[in-house]
Amino acid sequence: METESQLSTDVLSTARALNALGINRGSSGNVSARRADGTAGFLITPTGLAYDEINPEDIVSMSMEGSWPGVRKPSSEWRFHRDIYSAFSKAGAVVHTHSPFATSLACMDCTIPAFHYMIARFGGNDVRCARYATFGTQELSDAVLAALEDRNACLLAHHGMVVYGRDLKQALALALELETLCEQYWRALQIGTPRPLPDDEMQRILAKFGSYGQQ
């Protein structure tokens, strides 16, 4: 079992990877992972600190009640991280970014339709856009959970994106994949309105994804 110290290192490495991949900048966005020891709670990046200037010891350990020890404050978005873990047993890690293309579409309140079959990677025939709410509020967390029903990703209106995965590696890969699809959709919109794949085809694709790749 991974130790909490190692998990803190992995959370920080994932946050730094977001910036290195160009899907996050500065101290915006946040990353978390369920506690490694199996007890309730999670580790999350601290608020307002650049990822290249902090150490694993700055990663904040939180309870599901919303408390934390030490002087470092957690990301202001800790509520939707906590609520995702409570609502989705398969969520082992959560990534939130202000990536350029996802955020551009989110600022237009766009739901991403099945313009490409890889939309099925996120659990359905679209990626929803959660209704707008002020950052860091329970209202925003409630909006995120509604948009994530039967999905593992959503946009946040006038804000960014959030994804969850079984672990940090998968959550990072999903965040990058969603940003790629958002870029493709944004570019397609410059030409016209893409025609979505029909629902029956998306159901076939969703079924195929059940056994896709290395299980």
Side-chain angles (χ1 to χ4, degrees):
M1 179 183 294
E2 189 174 33
T3 66
E4 186 159 321
S5 175
Q6 183 59 53
L7 188 60
S8 294
T9 298
D10 292 345
V11 167
L12 179 55
S13 295
T14 302
R16 288 174 173 171
L18 292 174
N19 287 15
L21 290 166
I23 58 174
N24 203 63
R25 294 178 183 174
S27 62
S28 64
N30 31 77
V31 175
S32 73
R34 284 193 194 268
R35 289 177 60 91
D37 58 9
T39 59
F42 56 99
L43 306 183
I44 190 168
T45 48
T47 187
L49 296 175
Y51 300 135
D52 60 354
E53 296 177 358
I54 64 175
N55 300 308
E57 293 76 20
D58 295 309
I59 301 300
V60 181
S61 179
M62 295 202 65
S63 73
M64 298 301 282
E65 290 72 38
S67 62
W68 63 90
V71 297
R72 291 295 190 212
K73 295 180 179 179
S75 166
S76 59
E77 303 294 12
W78 63 265
R79 288 174 178 82
F80 68 63
H81 287 256
R82 177 204 52 196
D83 292 348
I84 287 171
Y85 293 128
S86 292
F88 305 106
S89 61
K90 293 182 179 180
V94 177
V95 168
H96 164 53
T97 81
H98 299 172
S99 54
F101 287 96
T103 302
S104 296
L105 295 173
C107 287
M108 301 299 291
D109 291 316
C110 280
T111 287
I112 313 301
F115 79 103
H116 190 290
Y117 79 91
M118 287 299 287
I119 288 293
R121 192 79 167 85
F122 303 98
N125 60 2
D126 61 15
V127 174
R128 304 182 186 106
C129 186
R131 67 182 183 278
Y132 177 77
T134 305
F135 77 93
T137 62
Q138 187 59 45
E139 183 183 6
L140 176 58
S141 182
D142 294 344
V144 167
L145 289 190
L148 285 176
E149 184 178 358
D150 301 319
R151 303 286 190 273
N152 57 13
C154 70
L155 304 185
L156 314 181
H158 307 278
H159 189 154
M161 67 137 101
V162 62
V163 304
Y164 73 80
R166 62 178 174 269
D167 54 26
L168 287 162
K169 182 178 180 180
Q170 187 187 46
L172 175 61
L174 288 171
L176 182 59
E177 193 161 353
L178 180 55
E179 175 65 1
T180 299
L181 284 166
C182 285
E183 179 179 1
Q184 292 165 349
Y185 186 55
W186 185 92
R187 292 184 184 281
L189 288 172
Q190 311 313 302
I191 303 170
T193 302
R195 184 179 64 184
L197 291 167
D199 288 346
D200 60 344
E201 175 61 12
M202 288 302 291
Q203 289 304 310
R204 282 190 288 271
I205 292 166
L206 286 162
K208 288 175 70 68
F209 270 135
S211 58
Y212 178 77
Q214 301 296 322
Q215 301 302 307

